[in-house]
Amino acid sequence: MNDATRLRQILEEDKYLLVVSAYDVLSARVIEEVGFKVVATSGFSLSASFLGKPDAGLLTFSENLTVVRNVINAVNVPVIADIDTGYGNASTS
């Protein structure tokens, strides 16, 4: 069963789903190991870990995608990835 199907199944089965956001592979593995059914990533958590700064559009799409791919490849649970738009800061947009 692929991750999208597993995520749909989890969402249909559970009335409430607590999802914790990982900021790297190690945190994703810890989240999985303690029993969460899903791992998430977000722009803020990746930016804070990678750059030490808030999600202000400084993390590039490719940097974000690299971390998310590594997280996906490291865990055996579905990953919800918040990879939104807005890359680059105001002076380059």
Side-chain angles (χ1 to χ4, degrees):
M1 178 182 324
N2 68 34
D3 285 343
T5 302
R6 285 193 304 163
L7 179 59
R8 283 187 197 97
Q9 186 178 39
I10 291 167
L11 292 172
E12 289 171 0
E13 291 173 355
D14 294 340
K15 186 172 183 179
Y16 300 100
L17 180 64
L18 180 61
V19 179
V20 179
S21 185
Y23 52 88
D24 63 6
V25 169
L26 180 59
S27 62
R29 285 186 173 172
V30 169
I31 292 166
E32 178 185 34
E33 183 66 28
V34 298
F36 288 94
K37 296 178 181 180
V38 176
V39 171
T41 63
S42 71
F44 176 79
S45 62
L46 299 183
S47 183
S49 174
F50 198 70
L51 302 173
K53 299 185 182 291
D55 185 13
L58 302 175
L59 192 65
T60 67
F61 178 77
S62 61
E63 291 167 332
N64 196 332
L65 186 59
T66 297
V67 176
V68 170
R69 281 184 176 149
N70 290 340
V71 167
I72 289 168
N73 290 326
V75 297
N76 294 308
V77 295
V79 176
I80 300 172
D82 175 11
I83 303 178
D84 54 10
T85 58
Y87 296 97
N89 61 29
S91 65
T92 63
S93 297

